Amino acid sequence: MHGKKEQEYIKKGPWKAEEDEVLLNHVKKYGPRDWSSIRSKGLLQRTGKSCRLRWVNKLQPNLKNGCKFSLEEERVVIELQAEIGNKWAKIATYLPGRTDNDVKNFWSSRQKRLARILQTTATTSKSQRNKAKVRDGFTLEDPNLSSPMEGEASSIMSQQSYSSFFNQNSDLVKMVPLPDLIKPNLPSCAINHVEQEFITPFESYKSTEQIAFPQDPELNTDVTFSMGSQDLITKIDEPNFIDVFSPMDASSEYGIGLELPIGLPFFEPSSGGSRIGTRDTVENSKNCDSFFDDFPVDIFDEMEPPATQSKL
DNA sequence: AATTGTTTCAACCGCCCCGGG
DNA sequence: ACCCGGGGCGGTTGAAACAAT
């Protein structure tokens, strides 16, 4: 490749270590800006956009690369997503070391996982709908419920039910006060987690404290997190999740482990503007059963099947 | 061990906004 | 007022890694 063609050539795909080095040198000299000059100077055959993306997502210091989202990070994402939608860059500002891409990827993989499990469970419940009362996507009489996988699926499905509602029926959800989903008698192991410090754009705080984010003009609301509670959806991912919330767990009302994850957002219709929070600040909560009783069971039939990748 | 299915995540694409000319 | 390029952002893709059979 020579002359003009060489100038026009734009390299794509994975970055090589040498390219990273060039990019880092540029940032050292000029700071994280003037991305397009990297190409115009002939330093790299990458677009300015590509250079910026590489820096932001992989090369800038203090990134938590290759590190799974902590429970608290997951909670922040879930609650903020419910509040402000898919504003990944905005949400990422609340998560030190995470980029918008990280948040986006976390969310989409979580959505896919939940959708898949929901579909599986919903299919099962549909076939048995007439046999027994459908509760939370499965039949109470279903002998399979005692199996770990069914218990897991059921728990996750509950989370998905709410997520889907937010995504697909956001207008409806805003009008309907959601029940508080938090079981008051969670096993201590689910509550006492490793204390982790976060640095928000505004302040640092301890995860076990009640966090009051300052008024955000864009959100037009106080964003309050109760970090003392736990987002159990993340527990589901843990190998010992079923052990923690086993069918024999006395705290389990239906013998399937925890019915619903906690930390899901709720909206108080009379609070003057939306506000997210947890059981800590809510009275008169409904349990998950009454919530699902409020909706036709067919609601899950409308769920889109999970995006399956067919690549062969 | 081989195959198939699933998940993760880096990177691209297109759209939009903004500022300079 | 308009155009253009740079940069920011959300959505999407697809290769690689991982898990299940």
Side-chain angles (χ1 to χ4, degrees):
Chain A
M1 213 173 300
H2 302 286
K4 197 180 176 190
K5 274 195 175 175
E6 186 175 355
Q7 283 233 320
E8 287 172 356
Y9 172 71
I10 294 174
K11 190 172 188 308
K12 293 182 182 179
W15 281 66
K16 293 198 171 71
E18 308 92 82
E19 293 178 295
D20 283 346
E21 205 176 325
V22 172
L23 186 52
L24 283 166
N25 282 336
H26 169 87
V27 173
K28 261 187 198 171
K29 280 187 188 172
Y30 308 105
R33 63 179 74 86
D34 298 331
W35 302 112
S36 55
S37 73
I38 296 173
R39 178 155 170 264
S40 59
K41 288 176 185 169
L43 297 175
L44 289 173
Q45 302 284 58
R46 301 269 185 176
T47 64
K49 279 189 173 188
S50 181
C51 292
R52 178 192 158 273
L53 199 72
R54 181 64 181 174
W55 164 259
V56 167
N57 286 330
K58 299 305 293 181
L59 298 182
Q60 67 169 317
N62 303 321
L63 289 178
K64 294 179 181 174
N65 275 332
C67 169
K68 279 189 72 174
F69 271 52
S70 69
L71 300 176
E72 313 302 349
E73 287 174 312
E74 295 193 16
R75 167 186 293 286
V76 169
V77 173
I78 290 164
E79 295 192 352
L80 278 174
Q81 197 279 339
E83 178 72 8
I84 65 177
N86 298 357
K87 307 290 184 189
W88 308 126
K90 182 85 180 172
I91 293 171
T93 65
Y94 291 84
L95 301 168
R98 302 295 188 186
T99 69
D100 57 348
N101 219 29
D102 294 334
V103 178
K104 198 162 51 183
N105 283 333
F106 162 75
W107 187 261
S108 67
S109 67
R110 178 175 172 278
Q111 290 299 92
K112 280 181 192 167
R113 186 170 75 242
L114 296 177
R116 185 178 59 80
I117 292 167
L118 171 63
Q119 197 203 17
T120 302
T121 313
T123 302
T124 301
S125 69
K126 188 179 183 180
S127 67
Q128 302 189 2
R129 183 174 304 148
N130 295 327
K131 293 181 185 174
K133 179 186 178 184
V134 174
R135 188 190 295 271
D136 199 6
F138 52 83
T139 59
L140 293 176
E141 288 75 16
D142 187 345
N144 293 328
L145 283 182
S146 58
S147 76
M149 279 313 295
E150 286 295 319
E152 175 181 66
S154 299
S155 297
I156 297 176
M157 185 207 149
S158 302
Q159 167 78 15
Q160 170 64 7
S161 301
Y162 281 88
S163 299
S164 297
F165 260 86
F166 277 110
N167 292 337
Q168 300 173 16
N169 303 285
S170 56
D171 291 340
L172 170 66
V173 169
K174 283 171 187 167
M175 298 166 60
V176 179
L178 295 183
D180 179 15
L181 304 172
I182 308 162
K183 294 288 286 186
N185 53 348
L186 293 178
S188 59
C189 59
I191 297 175
N192 299 325
H193 51 82
V194 177
E195 205 171 64
Q196 182 175 352
E197 189 161 357
F198 281 84
I199 310 297
T200 74
F202 312 99
E203 63 181 285
S204 67
Y205 59 89
K206 291 289 185 181
S207 62
T208 51
E209 297 171 354
Q210 182 86 7
I211 301 150
F213 284 96
Q215 189 79 22
D216 186 325
E218 288 187 37
L219 300 183
N220 193 30
T221 180
D222 285 329
V223 182
T224 306
F225 295 105
S226 172
M227 302 304 271
S229 53
Q230 198 52 265
D231 181 8
L232 288 170
I233 192 67
T234 59
K235 283 288 179 191
I236 291 165
D237 291 332
E238 296 180 6
N240 296 332
F241 173 80
I242 299 303
D243 294 335
V244 172
F245 304 108
S246 70
M248 303 307 290
D249 189 336
S251 70
S252 172
E253 187 177 355
Y254 300 112
I256 57 157
L258 191 73
E259 294 83 48
L260 284 168
I262 63 171
L264 290 166
F266 61 84
F267 297 83
E268 290 181 276
S270 60
S271 64
S274 63
R275 184 183 181 88
I276 59 178
T278 66
R279 158 174 289 281
D280 295 333
T281 54
V282 160
E283 304 288 332
N284 304 322
S285 64
K286 296 166 73 179
N287 63 28
C288 62
D289 296 314
S290 57
F291 173 77
F292 284 101
D293 287 346
D294 290 341
F295 295 95
V297 292
D298 303 73
I299 205 152
F300 301 115
D301 298 343
E302 303 307 318
M303 297 297 180
E304 295 226 355
T308 54
Q309 291 179 328
S310 59
K311 50 180 93 171
L312 278 175

